[in-house]
């Protein structure tokens, strides 16, 4: 008698068996790990397309919870808020390297600290992945001063994690 220890397809979590396009709304929303990194303001060099990250967070992003304070109505307050869709995830180059949408898009698994893996929404903060405590609100900051807030850590979080 042999013992098969491999996981069977029915035992695998949805993110290992479905493409982004196959996910239902609840599955799609649960891929967000709550890091808040996508809600940081970024500057784009118009000549090269290079993206520079700032530590300036969207006015709606709570700096402690790293969640949107008005997610359902965010585009009424922030008209240029980018809604992640299968199509936009395929095109956006600036998604953080630890982003669940990016990882699944690129054929990788989620990290141990992702709430879907850990079962705890706080592990993203405990692991030092999130923007918690590293940002300032965009309120009152002149766009001409954004260069004073350039950071590289959003691209470095999760290295070795």
């Amino acid at each position: 008698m042999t013992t098969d220890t491999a996981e069977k397809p029915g035992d695998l979590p949805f993110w290992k068996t479905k493409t982004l396009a196959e996910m239902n709304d609840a599955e799609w929303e649960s891929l967000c790990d709550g890091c808040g990194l996508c809600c940081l303001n970024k500057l784009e060099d118009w000549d090269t397309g290079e993206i520079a990250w700032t530590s300036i967070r969207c006015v709606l992003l709570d700096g402690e919870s790293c969640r949107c304070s008005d997610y359902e109505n965010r585009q009424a307050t922030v008209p240029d808020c980018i809604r992640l869709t299968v199509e936009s995830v395929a095109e956006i180059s600036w998604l953080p390297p630890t982003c669940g949408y990016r990882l699944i898009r690129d054929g990788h698994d989620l990290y141990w600290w992702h709430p879907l893996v850990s079962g705890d929404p706080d592990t993203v903060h405990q692991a030092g992945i999130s923007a918690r405590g590293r940002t300032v609100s965009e309120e009152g900051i002149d766009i001409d001063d954004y260069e004073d807030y350039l950071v590289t850590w959003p691209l470095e979080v999760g290295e070795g994690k």
Side-chain angles (χ1 to χ4, degrees):
M1 180 162 87
T2 61
T3 305
D4 183 10
T5 58
E7 291 181 325
K8 295 171 182 51
D11 297 337
L12 295 175
F14 71 88
W15 66 89
K16 290 185 179 187
T17 62
K18 292 184 176 183
T19 66
L20 293 174
E22 294 170 330
M23 293 181 188
N24 64 39
D25 289 345
E27 292 166 340
W28 177 268
E29 290 294 325
S30 70
L31 277 184
C32 176
D33 58 27
C35 71
L37 298 179
C38 63
C39 298
L40 299 180
N41 283 275
K42 297 154 219 55
L43 302 174
E44 181 177 1
D45 184 306
W46 288 54
D47 295 327
T48 67
E50 182 179 350
I51 301 294
W53 290 71
T54 74
S55 59
I56 303 169
R57 69 180 180 270
C58 170
V59 67
L60 293 178
L61 185 68
D62 180 293
E64 279 303 302
S65 71
C66 295
R67 292 293 186 171
C68 184
S69 60
D70 192 15
Y71 184 72
E72 294 302 319
N73 303 303
R74 66 193 182 279
Q75 290 182 305
T77 305
V78 182
D80 60 347
C81 176
I82 295 174
R83 183 174 174 266
L84 292 182
T85 64
V86 172
E87 296 78 22
S88 65
V89 167
E91 297 172 4
I92 295 173
S93 62
W94 52 256
L95 289 173
T98 55
C99 175
Y101 298 100
R102 178 179 178 166
L103 291 169
I104 300 306
R105 173 196 77 189
D106 296 345
H108 303 291
D109 199 358
L110 301 177
Y111 289 100
W112 66 267
W113 46 260
H114 192 288
L116 286 172
V117 177
S118 71
D120 182 354
D122 205 46
T123 52
V124 66
H125 308 300
Q126 294 167 357
I129 305 304
S130 75
R132 178 184 277 175
R134 305 185 201 204
T135 64
V136 296
S137 175
E138 66 187 354
E139 279 188 308
I141 299 178
D142 190 280
I143 191 108
D144 292 333
D145 295 330
Y146 275 32
E147 288 184 2
D148 296 339
Y149 295 88
L150 293 178
V151 293
T152 58
W153 57 261
L155 297 175
E156 297 163 357
V157 295
E159 289 184 353
K161 299 285 181 197

